[in-house]
Amino acid sequence: MPRFNIRHVTRYSYEEAVRDSANQVILFPLKDEYQDVTKQDLLITGDPQVEMYKDYYGNTIGSFTYAPPHKELLIDSKIEVEVKEKPMPADTEQKEKQWLHLQQVKYTYPYIDFIKQEIFAAISEAKKLPVIAESSAFTPLAASLLLNEYVFKTFSYDKAVTDVETTIDEVWKLKAGVCQDFAHVLLVMLRMIGMPARYVSGYVCPNKNGMRGEGATHAWVEVYIPFYGWLGLDPTNNCMVNDLHVRLATGRSFSDVSPVKGTYKGTSHHTLEVGVTISYEDGSITEEQPAFLVPQPNKNGGDPDSNSYRRHLEMIQQQQQ
């Protein structure tokens, strides 16, 4: 039963003083029988009051406004979370019974929200892939695992080619991206074969496994398996999710679960720095975890090779690695 200490620091630095910074944070891990938050501290510049509420998907959302002029905004989240191992599906039911069950529930709550397909121009091309066309020959679980493996093997993990505004069609052509892109591709493919699937934001906490996505917020997918429930699949690492992944929030896509986003009044010249560190209960830090903030400059005035940040209609978002 792993227990993790996670620190997630977000820092906005402005060239000139700004004001009326209104932000939404989704930095509160989900709580259920397999994940429990034993402690959390959230420190924000100016110590503003944070209004808490649940969104449509059951995620805990924090909302705050910092009105005084400021040249820096720091959001520092420290959590202690305990994750329990979850039994994996046995996959003993007949495949025909399972596919029929999916047909029966796909337009009912909550599955209807996670079966609707994103706009995807290459859908005709994708449907011709053997892994899609032949999916009904397998059980839903086996088909899901094959799709997870397909994304892992077909797409290259590359932090330099995409950003938060990269579309699923662009990722499909590039055949490369980060965990956020891998998750979106898998979502499209799972929904294509009639399986409800949702986007998950969180952290991956390996111990000497060298898993992709360390040292940043991570993303993966949960797919509904008949007579079992929601199963986590991590296409970036080609694995089923269990007690090494910490879940922050779930939604239809990244736009529903961005860890921090907001607006402000003032100059558009600013930088965003994000740092994540993860340690175990004994104090050991997971391999390659940075103990410092990783700069991700604004494309309008920073490093042209940085693709982890984009500003769109004054909405600030963090790409998940």
Side-chain angles (χ1 to χ4, degrees):
M1 188 185 303
R3 185 187 296 267
F4 302 108
N5 295 293
I6 302 172
R7 185 180 184 189
H8 183 156
V9 181
T10 304
R11 182 170 66 191
Y12 301 114
S13 301
Y14 308 97
E15 192 174 88
E16 298 177 3
V18 302
R19 59 187 175 85
D20 296 335
S21 177
N23 292 269
Q24 173 186 288
V25 295
I26 308 182
L27 295 169
F28 310 97
L30 296 167
K31 299 179 182 179
D32 59 22
E33 59 184 312
Y34 299 109
Q35 183 170 288
D36 186 37
V37 180
T38 54
K39 182 180 180 182
Q40 179 158 17
D41 295 314
L42 182 63
L43 303 176
I44 302 172
T45 299
D47 194 25
Q49 181 178 351
V50 180
E51 301 288 341
M52 308 292 290
Y53 62 94
K54 294 281 188 179
D55 71 2
Y56 175 76
Y57 302 107
N59 305 310
T60 300
I61 312 294
S63 179
F64 71 89
T65 300
Y66 185 48
H70 53 281
K71 296 187 69 173
E72 178 180 279
L73 180 66
L74 188 72
I75 303 169
D76 189 351
S77 171
K78 299 177 182 178
I79 61 174
E80 183 179 272
V81 60
E82 189 175 82
V83 186
K84 299 179 183 178
E85 186 174 0
K86 183 178 182 179
M88 294 291 99
D91 204 25
T92 55
E93 295 284 352
Q94 291 184 341
K95 66 181 182 182
E96 292 81 8
K97 183 179 179 180
Q98 293 191 55
W99 286 114
L100 176 61
H101 175 74
L102 287 172
Q103 284 294 319
Q104 293 171 336
V105 305
K106 68 179 182 179
Y107 295 128
T108 64
Y109 176 84
Y111 312 110
I112 188 172
D113 291 309
F114 303 113
I115 198 69
K116 185 178 180 181
Q117 192 60 274
E118 293 185 53
I119 297 174
F120 181 40
I123 191 167
S124 297
E125 173 190 338
K127 284 182 177 180
K128 296 176 183 178
L129 294 171
V131 73
I132 294 290
E134 301 169 8
S135 60
S136 61
F138 304 92
T139 65
L141 174 61
S144 300
L145 293 174
L146 286 172
L147 289 175
N148 193 55
E149 182 179 46
Y150 175 85
V151 175
F152 174 77
K153 290 184 175 180
T154 306
F155 292 76
S156 301
Y157 184 73
D158 189 340
K159 296 181 181 181
V161 297
T162 62
D163 55 48
V164 295
E165 289 184 344
T166 303
T167 67
I168 182 67
D169 286 295
E170 290 172 325
V171 175
W172 188 261
K173 291 177 182 178
L174 288 168
K175 293 294 185 289
V178 293
C179 71
Q180 179 176 308
D181 307 305
F182 281 49
H184 279 141
V185 171
L186 183 57
L187 283 175
V188 165
M189 300 185 80
L190 286 167
R191 292 168 182 169
M192 202 179 297
I193 65 171
M195 300 193 68
R198 60 192 187 188
Y199 185 99
V200 187
S201 168
Y203 309 98
V204 61
C205 311
N207 187 9
K208 300 180 181 180
N209 288 345
M211 295 174 72
R212 297 164 168 175
E214 300 175 65
T217 52
H218 193 55
W220 58 95
V221 168
E222 285 182 347
V223 60
Y224 176 69
I225 303 296
F227 315 114
Y228 169 79
W230 294 101
L231 174 68
L233 295 177
D234 184 348
T236 310
N237 293 293
N238 193 26
C239 67
M240 288 189 286
V241 170
N242 212 312
D243 57 358
L244 292 181
H245 289 68
V246 173
R247 293 166 294 134
L248 277 179
T250 61
R252 293 163 300 179
S253 64
F254 168 76
S255 62
D256 291 327
V257 299
S258 176
V260 179
K261 59 183 178 182
T263 66
Y264 62 87
K265 293 180 181 179
T267 177
S268 63
H269 298 292
H270 53 270
T271 58
L272 166 65
E273 296 174 294
V274 180
V276 175
T277 59
I278 302 172
S279 62
Y280 285 79
E281 189 175 13
D282 62 5
S284 62
I285 298 178
T286 55
E287 285 195 333
E288 299 181 11
Q289 292 295 327
F292 52 85
L293 293 175
V294 181
Q296 300 174 351
N298 184 343
K299 284 188 172 182
N300 293 328
D303 180 0
D305 294 327
S306 174
N307 286 281
S308 297
Y309 173 80
R310 287 292 295 268
R311 185 172 182 272
H312 178 60
L313 297 177
E314 294 189 313
M315 298 299 289
I316 301 172
Q317 299 177 316
Q318 299 178 60
Q319 187 179 25
Q320 298 173 329
Q321 304 295 319

